Amino acid sequence: MSKRIGITILLSLIGLTFLLTPLSAKRSQDIYYQDQVAVLMYHHIHETDTSSSTITSSLFQNQLQYLLSKGYHFISLNEFKQYLAGATVPSNAVLVTFDDGYQSFYTGAYPILKSLRVPAVNFVITHDLADPLASYIPSMSKEQISEMTHATNFIDIGCHTDSLHNKLPSGDAALVGRMDGENDDAYKQRVLKDTQACVGKLAGLTDAPLDVMAYPYGITSPAATEQIQKAGIRYAFTISPEMATRSADHLLIPRINAGSPGITPELLDRSIQRRIQA
């Protein structure tokens, strides 16, 4: 065989290999950002329910698969905590979070997360654990939560208050507003005890530390944050649509909404790209 023919065959094989290489592998070297994390926020996964915070399981799966194909790297809650403490994270790092502890996380999201090996954390309203099917959207049971956290090393849980996920008659979020006749000391005790109750009710459902929280409606105040910190919360998430960086306040961590029905995989990618910190 001549040298020229050999080179021609080699180049053909290289081209064929490229064509057969999965898209995710071709793009695995793309770097959009480093040393920051896109924290995504979801709520409800359902095939027929509709709302501004409900998406179908197929859209959820398509979003994750698209981000994987583009070279994003999903990290666990523990890896995110380590990052905030000074450790490195992969380029294009993403953390998936869910609010409210809905049963749809167990039935709709968990199978997809497990099949793709994508970590996630769900912030639970623990008052609903007493009767998971009583609320207008069914919640996860203790058994379902425990199954996920103990069967995997990438599904975590956190607090979304015990019973302060509501609005007061004044229209203020219960976590930050004052009830009628409530002075500052009574308010502080209410928030402190509620957070302690949330942590206590989740104890035993996971072996991981229970030191994370998402604020209901993404709303907090210095007084509320002070009390949840006293209850042992070290990391708390808002709904400010920005990238999370190590220098950010660990009790005011931003998140990017991904859980609305109009957020296509391509739109989610662009939404992350727009918020990359220089």
Side-chain angles (χ1 to χ4, degrees):
M1 181 184 297
S2 70
K3 184 176 179 181
R4 179 176 297 178
I5 294 175
I7 293 174
T8 301
I9 294 174
L10 178 61
L11 291 174
S12 297
L13 289 174
I14 291 173
L16 179 62
T17 300
F18 178 79
L19 290 173
L20 295 177
T21 302
L23 185 60
S24 58
K26 294 178 192 176
R27 292 178 167 170
S28 62
Q29 300 304 312
D30 291 348
I31 296 177
Y32 313 118
Y33 56 88
Q34 293 177 300
D35 204 36
Q36 50 192 295
V37 180
V39 184
L40 304 184
M41 178 180 64
Y42 295 92
H43 289 81
H44 190 29
I45 305 290
H46 204 272
E47 307 312 309
T48 56
D49 288 355
T50 57
S51 78
S52 62
S53 58
T54 302
I55 63 173
T56 62
S57 58
S58 61
L59 177 55
F60 179 60
Q61 181 166 344
N62 289 341
Q63 286 180 344
L64 299 185
Q65 288 179 325
Y66 185 78
L67 293 184
L68 285 168
S69 76
K70 292 276 289 184
Y72 288 88
H73 296 94
F74 291 91
I75 64 172
S76 67
L77 177 62
N78 188 52
E79 289 174 307
F80 181 69
K81 292 178 182 179
Q82 291 175 347
Y83 159 72
L84 292 179
T88 60
V89 287
S91 57
N92 314 327
V94 178
L95 173 65
V96 173
T97 72
F98 276 75
D99 286 4
D100 301 325
Y102 293 142
Q103 190 181 83
S104 65
F105 178 79
Y106 178 79
T107 58
Y110 177 49
I112 295 170
L113 295 166
K114 188 164 56 172
S115 68
L116 297 176
R117 297 290 297 179
V118 170
V121 54
N122 196 305
F123 299 105
V124 180
I125 304 169
T126 51
H127 173 78
D128 295 336
L129 293 175
D131 191 355
L133 302 181
S135 55
Y136 72 103
I137 298 178
S139 298
M140 290 186 290
S141 67
K142 294 179 182 179
E143 292 75 18
Q144 290 169 335
I145 294 172
S146 181
E147 175 191 332
M148 291 186 297
T149 60
H150 289 102
T152 73
N153 61 356
F154 56 87
I155 299 296
D156 289 285
I157 54 172
C159 284
H160 204 34
T161 76
D162 179 53
S163 57
L164 296 183
H165 196 299
N166 62 284
K167 295 288 184 71
L168 300 176
S170 64
D172 293 328
L175 182 67
V176 300
R178 301 299 195 271
M179 300 175 68
D180 288 343
E182 186 177 53
N183 60 30
D184 286 349
D185 288 340
Y187 164 75
K188 291 176 181 178
Q189 282 300 305
R190 175 166 61 87
V191 174
L192 176 64
K193 290 180 178 178
D194 182 272
T195 309
Q196 290 171 332
C198 188
V199 172
K201 290 180 181 180
L202 292 177
L205 302 183
T206 178
D207 295 328
L210 289 165
D211 56 4
V212 295
M213 178 177 180
Y215 300 111
Y217 315 109
I219 299 172
T220 190
S221 67
T225 297
E226 180 184 11
Q227 296 310 308
I228 70 160
Q229 190 173 24
K230 284 184 179 179
I233 300 298
R234 298 179 57 201
Y235 313 91
F237 294 79
T238 68
I239 57 172
S240 177
E242 301 170 6
M243 299 291 283
T245 62
R246 192 178 291 109
S247 61
D249 189 328
H250 294 182
L251 292 167
L252 295 171
I253 301 168
R255 292 187 292 174
I256 298 169
N257 181 37
S260 294
I263 301 178
T264 64
E266 295 80 6
L267 182 58
L268 178 56
D269 175 37
R270 292 197 297 271
S271 182
I272 295 172
Q273 299 279 346
R274 286 198 306 270
R275 293 171 171 87
I276 295 172
Q277 298 287 324

